[in-house]
Amino acid sequence: MQVNIFDRYNKPTKKLIHSLTTAGNERKNLFVHYDGELPKESLNPFTYFTGVDDDLEDHNGLFFNQIKVPEFYAIRHIDGGSANIEYFKNVVGKIHYRAEGYRLVDTVDWYSAENHQSVVKKDRYNLAGQHYATTYFSSKGAYQTDYYNVTGKLIIREDLVHRSLRLYNQKTVYHFDNLTQFFVYFLKMAKIKVSDIYINSLSFPLFISRKLEIGQATTLFWQEALGQEVPGNMMHELEDPKTLKQIIFMSESQLDQVEQQYPKTSVALNYLSPIGEFTRANRFRMRGFILTNSDNIHGLRDVLMTLPELKITVAAYTNMSTKLLHMAEEFNNLTLVPSINEETLNQELEQSDIYLDINYGVKVDHILDRAYQQHMIIFSYKEVTQKDTNTLIFDDTRDLCNNLSYILTDRTNWQRLLTKMVEKDGHLSTILDYQSVLDL
């Protein structure tokens, strides 16, 4: 079977899966770790053995005030990313929200009775709101994670110090020295016979590929940063390949670097950019959009004053502060949308072609990814920008306003900066490029 083996279902992995699907290359997705969310029809050893399923048609997640707490405990929302659990004004725990959705629970930290800054355990909840695991901490850090089935019964215990695992299956306890052994056992139980593998990590996915002993049948998609020297595991494969048949870089400069450093390697080296990311074309409309959980929006007043022709909408899932309400009274080119719902948010994103990532704090609901998918041109500052995003980053408000003026006065300038943003890592690949490089 041709499969993808990924470490985690994170942003780079989601991009890669989407690109492969767009190119018509659909494989079984297998994940080493479980963080509460998986794509449909994928497999993971932790959910396979526990039976926990985050892919429930009617799931809405667990809202922050639905966490069960003892009598006399209170839950108080404090900011865009978390809420406190309090007992007579003492903070005894903290609820961390998921990146997607509105105030949905991701994890809950519980503090030591002696030290309210010291976490003793972390409860983990999946996208369906199920409590699927708990991680325990000592003064030296995390030492154990327990995984439960849907009734709360312990099924898997992971020793985070020695990296071993125990599987409690009916009346039998299975011991595994490491996660690689555990994953290979899962493949056996799930009756998955692997013949060809795509990976995007030099960690467990590579270790598993080696353990399966299927020869050079693995393609590595490299989506991480690259220093002056390549990582050790990559270097060994480039010099004496045992597992990798190809490395595909998502950055042209990284490809050039490795080709220069290893000109004689027999591992095929190629470049592919993400594809299929845009749902529409940019229409060059003078409409900007901001989604925020904070009224601390750096330079908003300056942008409104400098560029009166730019219509800006500021939206929030909550009510607006008096600071923003007064600003809306002062500027005709500012519109506020408090308590925005999903339908209205989608409409606002569709109607705007500029996204201003200038607010401090949490980037709500994957908004930068959603703006990028709408092919919006995204402006940001160094001090507020989020890592690993396709944005145009400026030093200060004057620099940002100058570049906004630059694109608003000339559509050619707009297209030039938009292309610069989109192609920051290299030219855009096509479906034909994927089919050629991957022999589809």
Side-chain angles (χ1 to χ4, degrees):
M1 180 186 292
Q2 296 180 331
V3 301
N4 301 323
I5 300 180
F6 299 126
D7 227 345
R8 298 181 183 276
Y9 188 49
N10 52 21
K11 180 180 175 180
T13 299
K14 291 177 182 179
K15 274 193 172 187
L16 179 54
I17 291 174
H18 183 74
S19 294
L20 292 172
T21 303
T22 302
N25 187 2
E26 296 192 26
R27 296 173 165 225
K28 194 69 174 179
N29 293 312
L30 310 178
F31 292 87
V32 179
H33 295 92
Y34 180 62
D35 298 311
E37 178 188 7
L38 291 175
K40 290 183 178 181
E41 299 182 2
S42 61
L43 289 174
N44 165 270
F46 293 96
T47 57
Y48 180 82
F49 290 115
T50 63
V52 169
D53 183 12
D54 60 75
D55 183 26
L56 302 178
E57 291 185 2
D58 59 346
H59 81 259
N60 294 308
L62 190 70
F63 201 58
F64 79 103
N65 62 3
Q66 293 178 306
I67 290 291
K68 294 181 180 179
V69 296
E71 191 177 6
F72 303 121
Y73 281 53
I75 298 174
R76 184 168 62 89
H77 167 75
I78 56 172
D79 57 34
S82 61
N84 282 341
I85 301 174
E86 300 176 354
Y87 179 64
F88 293 115
K89 297 184 179 181
N90 290 322
V91 178
V92 297
K94 182 179 289 291
I95 300 170
H96 300 277
Y97 302 154
R98 302 191 68 85
E100 58 284 310
Y102 177 59
R103 299 185 185 178
L104 299 181
V105 179
D106 183 21
T107 60
V108 180
D109 293 340
W110 294 96
Y111 300 136
S112 165
E114 294 77 22
N115 181 358
H116 290 171
Q117 300 298 318
S118 177
V119 177
V120 293
K121 73 171 184 173
K122 181 187 293 286
D123 292 331
R124 303 179 183 276
Y125 294 80
N126 66 9
L127 200 60
Q130 298 167 322
H131 175 209
Y132 70 90
T134 295
T135 300
Y136 296 90
F137 297 80
S138 68
S139 58
K140 297 180 180 179
Y143 67 87
Q144 178 179 295
T145 297
D146 290 343
Y147 295 83
Y148 314 106
N149 65 12
V150 291
T151 65
K153 181 182 178 181
L154 174 65
I155 302 297
I156 301 166
R157 172 160 288 168
E158 184 177 12
D159 184 333
L160 302 176
V161 177
H162 302 96
R163 302 299 177 184
S164 61
L165 297 98
R166 288 184 180 180
L167 171 63
Y168 300 87
N169 192 358
Q170 296 179 356
K171 295 182 179 181
T172 305
V173 179
Y174 297 90
H175 178 83
F176 303 93
D177 291 336
N178 50 56
L179 199 49
T180 301
Q181 282 187 3
F182 179 57
F183 194 93
V184 171
Y185 176 75
F186 147 71
L187 292 177
K188 179 181 178 181
M189 293 296 100
K191 298 181 180 179
I192 298 174
K193 188 174 179 60
V194 176
S195 60
D196 189 89
I197 306 172
Y198 289 170
I199 64 174
N200 66 343
S201 168
L202 289 169
S203 182
F204 288 107
L206 179 63
F207 304 157
I208 293 164
S209 298
R210 288 174 175 169
K211 189 73 174 177
L212 293 176
E213 298 181 342
I214 57 175
Q216 286 181 254
T218 299
T219 295
L220 168 66
F221 289 82
W222 186 250
Q223 298 175 283
E224 302 176 39
L226 197 63
Q228 293 182 346
E229 300 294 331
V230 303
N233 286 339
M234 185 186 293
M235 178 190 68
H236 295 318
E237 287 290 332
L238 289 166
E239 293 177 345
D240 184 21
K242 294 288 194 300
T243 305
L244 296 184
K245 64 177 179 180
Q246 181 172 211
I247 302 175
I248 296 174
F249 296 91
M250 299 293 186
S251 164
E252 288 183 322
S253 63
Q254 291 181 350
L255 172 62
D256 292 341
Q257 175 187 335
V258 175
E259 284 181 331
Q260 292 174 14
Q261 292 179 348
Y262 297 90
K264 296 182 179 180
T265 184
S266 63
V267 177
L269 304 175
N270 285 294
Y271 163 82
L272 289 171
S273 78
I275 61 171
E277 295 189 286
F278 304 121
T279 58
R280 65 171 176 89
N282 191 296
R283 300 188 182 96
F284 310 103
R285 293 166 296 186
M286 296 185 188
R287 290 178 59 94
F289 184 71
I290 301 170
L291 180 66
T292 182
N293 266 347
S294 165
D295 63 2
N296 191 1
I297 306 175
H298 184 64
L300 177 59
R301 174 179 292 274
D302 293 323
V303 174
L304 292 166
M305 290 180 60
T306 306
L307 302 162
E309 69 273 29
L310 177 61
K311 307 300 181 183
I312 298 176
T313 298
V314 176
Y317 285 122
T318 58
N319 293 327
M320 294 292 180
S321 69
T322 53
K323 174 182 174 181
L324 289 175
L325 292 172
H326 290 157
M327 197 177 295
E329 293 175 354
E330 183 179 353
F331 295 99
N332 293 328
N333 54 332
L334 175 62
T335 301
L336 302 182
V337 185
S339 304
I340 193 169
N341 58 37
E342 187 66 20
E343 181 180 356
T344 305
L345 175 58
N346 288 331
Q347 291 173 355
E348 292 292 342
L349 288 171
E350 173 65 30
Q351 294 168 4
S352 302
D353 285 312
I354 300 170
Y355 189 86
L356 298 177
D357 175 30
I358 58 177
N359 59 292
Y360 288 89
V362 177
K363 308 303 179 185
V364 183
D365 209 7
H366 298 293
I367 188 60
L368 294 182
D369 293 333
R370 296 174 70 171
Y372 185 77
Q373 289 162 8
Q374 292 281 340
H375 214 177
M376 298 167 73
I377 189 166
I378 305 173
F379 283 65
S380 187
Y381 298 114
K382 285 183 178 178
E383 55 192 287
V384 302
T385 191
Q386 183 174 293
K387 292 182 180 179
D388 302 323
T389 55
N390 287 73
T391 58
L392 296 169
I393 303 171
F394 303 100
D395 293 328
D396 51 35
T397 304
R398 174 182 289 185
D399 191 18
L400 184 140
C401 286
N402 286 341
N403 278 275
L404 278 172
S405 177
Y406 174 74
I407 68 169
L408 293 178
T409 54
D410 191 324
R411 182 175 292 192
T412 303
N413 296 339
W414 189 317
Q415 184 61 59
R416 185 180 295 115
L417 279 188
L418 182 61
T419 301
K420 177 183 177 182
M421 181 190 81
V422 171
E423 298 188 357
K424 71 171 189 174
D425 292 321
H427 73 276
L428 288 183
S429 299
T430 65
I431 291 177
L432 290 177
D433 292 330
Y434 269 74
Q435 292 174 342
S436 174
V437 170
L438 299 174
D439 295 325
L440 301 181

